[in-house]
Amino acid sequence: MAKEASSGKKPAAPSAAALRHEIDRADRELLKLLNTRAVLTNKLCQASEADGSAGSVCEFQPVLAKVAEGNRGPLSNECVQSIYRELLSGARALERHQRVAFLGPFYSFSHLAALERFGSSIEQVPVASIAAVFEEVNRGHVD
């Protein structure tokens, strides 16, 4: 190593095949960890429901804030939070299918706010008015 430094030569860059191999290995590790995280999330929410604290424990916002606080990059906080939002949404969907009404149509501000709040693993129900959103909740048609 000292010989390379004194000769001024840079170490050879990894080949594309070697990088692809490392990415595949990282993907396998990520999938294992993501699925473990989803299972643990469900267990925590179930345990919290049993002791009456599920409302705060299973909320997205505290987790997203903690993730942003711990992020050291190079991915932006917004990117990392989006990944975690979808992970949490998917974990919640494993436990219970969730239906969310919003003032339609799709891609309106209300729809985008619902996605921001609940992730995309929800059943999305567009309705014609804000009053209809509350009516759907009152009738038990949506969560």
Coordinates of all heavy atoms in Angstrom, one line a residue, residues 63-99:
V63 N -41.6 8.4 14.0 CA -40.6 7.6 13.3 C -39.9 8.4 12.2 O -38.6 8.4 12.1 CB -41.2 6.3 12.7 CG1 -40.2 5.5 11.9 CG2 -41.8 5.5 13.8
L64 N -40.6 9.1 11.4 CA -40.0 9.9 10.4 C -39.1 11.0 10.9 O -38.1 11.3 10.3 CB -41.1 10.5 9.5 CG -42.0 9.5 8.8 CD1 -43.1 10.2 7.9 CD2 -41.2 8.5 7.9
A65 N -39.5 11.6 12.0 CA -38.6 12.6 12.6 C -37.3 12.0 13.1 O -36.3 12.6 12.9 CB -39.4 13.3 13.8
K66 N -37.4 10.8 13.7 CA -36.2 10.2 14.3 C -35.3 9.7 13.1 O -34.1 9.9 13.2 CB -36.6 8.9 15.1 CG -35.5 8.3 15.8 CD -35.9 7.0 16.5 CE -36.6 7.4 17.8 NZ -36.8 6.2 18.6
V67 N -35.9 9.3 12.0 CA -35.1 8.9 10.9 C -34.4 10.1 10.3 O -33.2 10.0 10.0 CB -36.0 8.2 9.8 CG1 -35.3 8.1 8.4 CG2 -36.5 6.8 10.3
A68 N -35.0 11.2 10.2 CA -34.4 12.4 9.6 C -33.3 12.8 10.5 O -32.2 13.3 10.1 CB -35.4 13.5 9.4
E69 N -33.5 12.8 11.8 CA -32.5 13.2 12.8 C -31.2 12.3 12.7 O -30.1 12.8 12.8 CB -33.1 13.1 14.2 CG -32.2 13.5 15.3 CD -32.8 13.4 16.7 OE1 -33.9 14.0 16.8 OE2 -32.3 12.7 17.5
G70 N -31.4 11.0 12.4 CA -30.3 10.1 12.3 C -29.6 10.0 11.0 O -28.6 9.4 10.8
N71 N -30.3 10.6 10.0 CA -29.7 10.5 8.6 C -28.5 11.3 8.4 O -28.4 12.5 8.8 CB -30.8 11.0 7.6 CG -30.4 10.9 6.2 OD1 -29.6 10.0 5.8 ND2 -30.8 11.8 5.3
R72 N -27.4 10.6 7.9 CA -26.2 11.3 7.7 C -25.8 11.4 6.2 O -24.7 11.7 5.8 CB -25.0 10.6 8.4 CG -25.2 10.5 9.9 CD -25.1 11.9 10.5 NE -25.4 11.9 11.9 CZ -26.4 12.4 12.5 NH1 -27.3 13.0 11.7 NH2 -26.6 12.3 13.8
G73 N -26.8 11.0 5.3 CA -26.7 11.2 3.9 C -25.9 10.0 3.3 O -25.4 9.2 4.0
P74 N -25.7 10.0 2.0 CA -25.9 11.1 1.1 C -27.4 11.3 0.7 O -27.7 12.3 0.1 CB -25.1 10.7 -0.1 CG -25.1 9.2 -0.2 CD -25.1 8.8 1.3
L75 N -28.3 10.3 1.0 CA -29.7 10.5 0.7 C -30.3 11.7 1.5 O -30.0 11.8 2.7 CB -30.5 9.2 0.9 CG -30.1 8.0 0.1 CD1 -30.9 6.8 0.5 CD2 -30.4 8.3 -1.4
S76 N -31.2 12.4 0.9 CA -31.8 13.5 1.6 C -32.8 13.0 2.7 O -33.3 11.9 2.6 CB -32.6 14.4 0.6 OG -33.7 13.8 0.1
N77 N -33.1 13.8 3.6 CA -34.1 13.5 4.6 C -35.4 13.1 4.0 O -36.1 12.2 4.4 CB -34.3 14.6 5.7 CG -33.1 14.6 6.7 OD1 -32.4 13.7 6.8 ND2 -33.0 15.7 7.4
E78 N -35.8 13.9 3.0 CA -37.1 13.6 2.3 C -37.1 12.3 1.7 O -38.1 11.5 1.7 CB -37.4 14.7 1.3 CG -37.6 16.1 1.9 CD -36.4 16.8 2.3 OE1 -35.3 16.4 1.9 OE2 -36.5 17.8 3.1
C79 N -36.0 11.9 1.0 CA -35.9 10.6 0.4 C -36.0 9.5 1.4 O -36.8 8.5 1.3 CB -34.6 10.5 -0.4 SG -34.3 8.9 -1.2
V80 N -35.3 9.6 2.5 CA -35.3 8.5 3.5 C -36.6 8.5 4.2 O -37.1 7.4 4.5 CB -34.1 8.8 4.5 CG1 -34.2 7.9 5.7 CG2 -32.8 8.7 3.9
Q81 N -37.2 9.6 4.5 CA -38.6 9.6 5.1 C -39.6 9.0 4.1 O -40.5 8.2 4.6 CB -39.0 11.0 5.5 CG -38.2 11.5 6.7 CD -38.5 13.0 7.0 OE1 -38.7 13.8 6.1 NE2 -38.6 13.3 8.2
S82 N -39.5 9.2 2.8 CA -40.4 8.5 1.9 C -40.3 7.0 1.9 O -41.3 6.3 1.9 CB -40.2 9.0 0.5 OG -40.5 10.4 0.3
I83 N -39.1 6.5 2.0 CA -38.8 5.1 2.1 C -39.4 4.5 3.4 O -40.2 3.5 3.3 CB -37.3 4.8 2.1 CG1 -36.7 5.2 0.7 CG2 -37.0 3.4 2.4 CD1 -35.2 5.2 0.6
Y84 N -39.2 5.2 4.5 CA -39.8 4.7 5.8 C -41.3 4.8 5.8 O -42.0 4.0 6.3 CB -39.2 5.5 6.9 CG -37.9 4.8 7.5 CD1 -36.7 4.9 6.9 CD2 -38.0 4.0 8.6 CE1 -35.6 4.2 7.3 CE2 -36.9 3.3 9.1 CZ -35.7 3.5 8.5 OH -34.6 2.8 8.9
R85 N -41.9 5.9 5.2 CA -43.3 6.0 5.1 C -43.9 4.8 4.4 O -44.9 4.2 4.9 CB -43.7 7.3 4.4 CG -45.2 7.6 4.4 CD -45.6 8.9 3.7 NE -45.0 10.0 4.3 CZ -43.9 10.7 3.9 NH1 -43.3 10.3 2.8 NH2 -43.4 11.7 4.6
E86 N -43.3 4.4 3.3 CA -43.8 3.2 2.6 C -43.6 2.0 3.4 O -44.5 1.1 3.4 CB -43.2 3.2 1.2 CG -43.7 4.3 0.3 CD -45.2 4.4 0.2 OE1 -45.9 3.3 0.0 OE2 -45.7 5.5 0.3
L87 N -42.5 1.9 4.1 CA -42.3 0.7 4.9 C -43.3 0.6 6.0 O -43.9 -0.5 6.3 CB -40.9 0.8 5.5 CG -40.5 -0.3 6.5 CD1 -40.6 -1.7 5.9 CD2 -39.1 -0.1 7.1
L88 N -43.6 1.7 6.7 CA -44.6 1.7 7.8 C -46.0 1.5 7.2 O -46.8 0.8 7.8 CB -44.5 3.0 8.5 CG -43.2 3.3 9.3 CD1 -43.1 4.7 9.7 CD2 -43.0 2.3 10.4
S89 N -46.3 2.0 6.1 CA -47.6 1.8 5.4 C -47.8 0.3 5.1 O -48.8 -0.3 5.3 CB -47.7 2.7 4.2 OG -48.9 2.5 3.5
G90 N -46.7 -0.3 4.5 CA -46.8 -1.7 4.2 C -46.9 -2.6 5.4 O -47.7 -3.6 5.5
A91 N -46.2 -2.2 6.5 CA -46.3 -3.0 7.7 C -47.7 -2.9 8.3 O -48.2 -3.9 8.8 CB -45.2 -2.5 8.7
R92 N -48.2 -1.7 8.3 CA -49.6 -1.5 8.8 C -50.6 -2.3 8.0 O -51.5 -2.9 8.6 CB -50.0 0.0 8.8 CG -51.2 0.3 9.5 CD -51.5 1.8 9.4 NE -50.8 2.5 10.5 CZ -50.8 3.8 10.6 NH1 -51.4 4.5 9.7 NH2 -50.1 4.3 11.6
A93 N -50.4 -2.4 6.7 CA -51.3 -3.1 5.8 C -51.2 -4.6 6.1 O -52.2 -5.3 5.9 CB -51.0 -2.8 4.3
L94 N -50.1 -5.1 6.6 CA -50.0 -6.5 6.9 C -50.9 -6.9 8.1 O -51.5 -7.9 8.1 CB -48.6 -6.9 7.3 CG -47.5 -6.9 6.2 CD1 -46.1 -7.1 6.9 CD2 -47.8 -8.0 5.2
E95 N -51.1 -5.9 9.0 CA -51.9 -6.1 10.2 C -53.4 -5.9 9.9 O -54.2 -6.7 10.3 CB -51.4 -5.2 11.3 CG -52.2 -5.3 12.6 CD -51.7 -4.3 13.6 OE1 -50.6 -3.8 13.5 OE2 -52.5 -4.1 14.6
R96 N -53.6 -4.9 9.1 CA -55.0 -4.5 8.9 C -55.1 -3.7 7.6 O -54.4 -2.7 7.4 CB -55.6 -3.7 10.1 CG -57.0 -3.3 10.0 CD -57.5 -2.7 11.2 NE -56.8 -1.4 11.5 CZ -57.2 -0.2 11.1 NH1 -58.3 -0.1 10.3 NH2 -56.6 0.9 11.4
H97 N -56.0 -4.1 6.7 CA -56.3 -3.4 5.5 C -56.9 -2.0 5.9 O -57.8 -2.0 6.7 CB -57.2 -4.2 4.6 CG -57.5 -3.5 3.3 ND1 -56.6 -3.4 2.3 CD2 -58.7 -2.9 2.9 CE1 -57.2 -2.7 1.3 NE2 -58.4 -2.4 1.6
Q98 N -56.3 -1.0 5.3 CA -56.8 0.4 5.7 C -57.4 1.1 4.5 O -56.8 1.1 3.5 CB -55.6 1.2 6.3 CG -56.0 2.3 7.1 CD -54.8 2.9 7.9 OE1 -53.7 2.8 7.5 NE2 -55.1 3.5 9.0
R99 N -58.6 1.6 4.7 CA -59.3 2.4 3.7 C -59.3 3.9 4.2 O -59.6 4.2 5.3 CB -60.7 2.0 3.5 CG -60.8 0.6 3.0 CD -62.3 0.3 2.7 NE -62.8 1.4 1.9 CZ -63.9 1.3 1.1 NH1 -64.6 0.2 1.1 NH2 -64.2 2.3 0.4

